[in-house]
Amino acid sequence: MHILFLTQIIPYPPDAGPRVKTWHVLRYLSGLGCRITLVSFIRPEEEGYLKTLREVCTDVHTVPIRRSRPADLGYWLRSQWTGRPFLVERDDSRAMRAQVRSIVEKGDVDAIHADQLTMAQFARTPGLERKGPAAGGNGRPVAVFDAHNAVWTILRRMAENAPPLLRPLLIREARMVEAYEGRVVRSFDRVLAVTEIDRQALLQAAGQVGGDRISVIPIAVDTVKLRPVEQYTRSNSIVTLGTLHYPPNADGIRWFLHEVFPLVRDAVPEATLTIIGKHPPRDFLQAAEAQPDAVRVTGYVPDLDEYMSAAAVVAIPVRAGGGMRVRILEAFSRGLPVVTTTVGMEGIDALPGRELLTGDTALDFAGSVIRFLEDPDLRVQTGRRARALAEARYDWQVALQDLEAIYKP
């Protein structure tokens, strides 16, 4: 089977949620003997990763993409005129459409996999027919939309926590995204969601049409590569991490930094916080400068082992999000105790008090962190149960077993 796989970011290295998810899907499909042609947008700094991708994919094609705030403003204004979501307008590309069309017109593509919402527009371009017999009917390859998240729900949650002046803009964008996601679900042959919650949100966007085409396949991690760490029983280190230019990640960590962490320090004065991730916001850096003995901001870290080995607790504060938190699954794989919110644990078959602790208010979240800091035995036992869950449910060779049937006509 020949799969044309379209991605918005180069799916390697697996150092962020979308890359982790996509990288393991590619590995699994390659292991099934599928021929994979990857077409991805690429940033200049990502060129060095193509060699590794070619070890998994038969062919790799790239389309350059650049970001700038002035350009984003133009895309946003165009979005207000066209009614298409800003995210979709921003990633629209003639070069990407031409690349996809040239590959499909060769006649041997069996399925087109659109990875994340913004790539769906390239899999359903008018006139995108194969020359040979149809795989998906009507002269087209089977069209597969891998949602990653129900994006409209993320925007709706962001609006709830947004400043008053920004809230109407986010609500409008959420409505446009919901309508667009609904059209995508109705027009694709197969849709992948990572949780049942996202499946229901996508089905709602589609007007309850096409539920039989939406399959739930969770995000997977590599529990062989991510081994349990030796925990320092006397550690007071709290680690939190994420791609910090992604607004939901920055929002949750900002809440933890300014509202939760001070409560933790009141109870455990020796507690420290390490924030890991690309593009830390200015207020994070200012907090580290003001409290050098308490807060550390590292920026991007290619190898997390040093920080995770020293961690007493991994805090994943999520107030607006969708899909699944890879950060939680990776901490589970390392056997580390996790504190998150109810939103953060959505889609993960973990039980509060068994594989992790939770808190939805600043006081409750701080209380859960303090429990772990003050009870090393609780940390160890919780981490062991979390590791067992990751191995049994979320390792990539277990979690992705239903993928093969998705691409068949």
Side-chain angles (χ1 to χ4, degrees):
M1 173 172 289
H2 183 193
I3 301 173
L4 176 56
F5 206 103
L6 312 178
T7 64
Q8 197 269 344
I9 56 173
I10 290 292
Y12 194 86
D15 57 2
R19 285 192 174 100
V20 171
K21 175 184 175 4
T22 305
W23 172 243
H24 292 313
V25 169
L26 288 172
R27 292 175 72 192
Y28 196 86
L29 293 174
S30 178
L32 294 175
C34 296
R35 174 187 167 194
I36 302 171
T37 297
L38 175 69
V39 181
S40 178
F41 286 118
I42 190 170
R43 287 80 177 162
E45 66 272 16
E46 297 170 333
E47 293 282 350
Y49 302 127
L50 298 181
K51 180 180 178 181
T52 302
L53 287 167
R54 291 190 174 102
E55 295 172 2
V56 173
C57 303
T58 308
D59 296 292
V60 177
H61 304 271
T62 61
V63 174
I65 190 171
R66 294 183 182 276
R67 294 273 188 262
S68 73
R69 290 187 178 180
D72 283 352
L73 176 59
Y75 294 131
W76 182 81
L77 292 172
R78 188 163 68 186
S79 170
Q80 306 311 297
W81 178 64
T82 64
R84 292 204 310 170
F86 160 74
L87 296 172
V88 176
E89 288 289 356
R90 184 183 63 177
D91 283 352
D92 199 350
S93 164
R94 291 182 181 179
M96 178 61 73
R97 292 182 189 279
Q99 182 67 259
V100 171
R101 182 177 289 108
S102 69
I103 294 170
V104 174
E105 287 179 348
K106 294 178 181 178
D108 65 345
V109 173
D110 298 297
I112 305 179
H113 178 118
D115 202 59
Q116 300 193 73
L117 182 64
T118 63
M119 302 308 291
Q121 59 190 313
F122 307 113
R124 278 308 199 193
T125 299
L128 200 63
E129 285 85 20
R130 299 191 335 170
K131 293 181 179 178
N138 300 320
R140 291 180 177 271
V142 173
V144 179
F145 168 48
D146 192 339
H148 282 235
N149 308 283
V151 179
W152 73 269
T153 63
I154 299 175
L155 293 165
R156 187 68 57 83
R157 284 170 168 168
M158 288 178 62
E160 293 171 0
N161 297 315
L165 290 177
L166 185 58
R167 192 171 298 135
L169 300 179
L170 287 172
I171 291 173
R172 174 177 167 79
E173 180 72 6
R175 289 172 178 164
M176 288 194 290
V177 170
E178 182 178 7
Y180 187 84
E181 282 185 306
R183 292 194 294 272
V184 169
V185 170
R186 291 192 297 269
S187 65
F188 273 65
D189 303 303
R190 312 278 195 276
V191 177
L192 302 181
V194 298
T195 71
E196 180 60 29
I197 293 171
D198 279 332
R199 180 183 180 277
Q200 292 300 324
L202 291 169
L203 191 56
Q204 178 180 330
Q208 305 300 319
V209 175
D212 58 330
R213 297 196 298 271
I214 308 176
S215 301
V216 176
I217 296 180
I219 292 178
V221 292
D222 189 339
T223 61
V224 173
K225 182 177 180 181
L226 297 172
R227 303 301 303 168
V229 301
E230 282 289 334
Q231 294 183 36
Y232 298 121
T233 57
R234 300 179 68 177
S235 172
N236 289 298
S237 171
I238 305 162
V239 171
T240 189
L241 67 164
T243 302
L244 298 178
H245 62 264
Y246 181 53
N249 289 350
D251 169 76
I253 294 175
R254 180 174 288 110
W255 172 72
F256 182 84
L257 172 64
H258 296 300
E259 298 187 34
V260 179
F261 185 58
L263 300 177
V264 175
R265 288 273 289 184
D266 287 344
V268 185
E270 302 83 8
T272 63
L273 174 62
T274 300
I275 301 173
I276 302 172
K278 286 182 179 179
H279 307 301
R282 183 172 179 79
D283 60 309
F284 291 13
L285 299 173
Q286 290 173 336
E289 291 174 0
Q291 307 174 71
D293 61 329
V295 179
R296 181 182 183 186
V297 179
T298 68
Y300 176 70
V301 173
D303 186 349
L304 295 173
D305 286 350
E306 173 188 348
Y307 298 94
M308 292 303 186
S309 295
V313 185
V314 177
I316 310 295
V318 181
R319 300 199 300 172
M324 295 171 65
R325 259 52 58 186
V326 172
R327 294 170 288 167
I328 293 179
L329 297 181
E330 292 188 334
F332 280 8
S333 298
R334 296 176 187 270
L336 288 169
V338 170
V339 180
T340 189
T341 60
T342 302
V343 172
M345 66 174 291
E346 284 180 353
I348 298 176
D349 292 334
L351 293 176
R354 179 173 172 80
E355 288 92 5
L356 80 176
L357 296 179
T358 60
D360 289 330
T361 67
L363 187 61
D364 288 344
F365 202 106
S368 291
V369 172
I370 293 165
R371 281 186 64 192
F372 275 140
L373 291 177
E374 295 182 338
D375 191 340
D377 289 338
L378 177 64
R379 299 205 304 258
V380 171
Q381 294 304 317
T382 304
R384 287 175 179 170
R385 290 190 291 264
R387 166 71 189 185
L389 176 65
E391 288 180 304
R393 182 76 178 89
Y394 298 109
D395 183 77
W396 69 283
Q397 297 193 65
V398 175
L400 303 181
Q401 290 182 6
D402 293 334
L403 264 183
E404 183 174 9
I406 297 297
Y407 302 89
K408 293 181 179 179

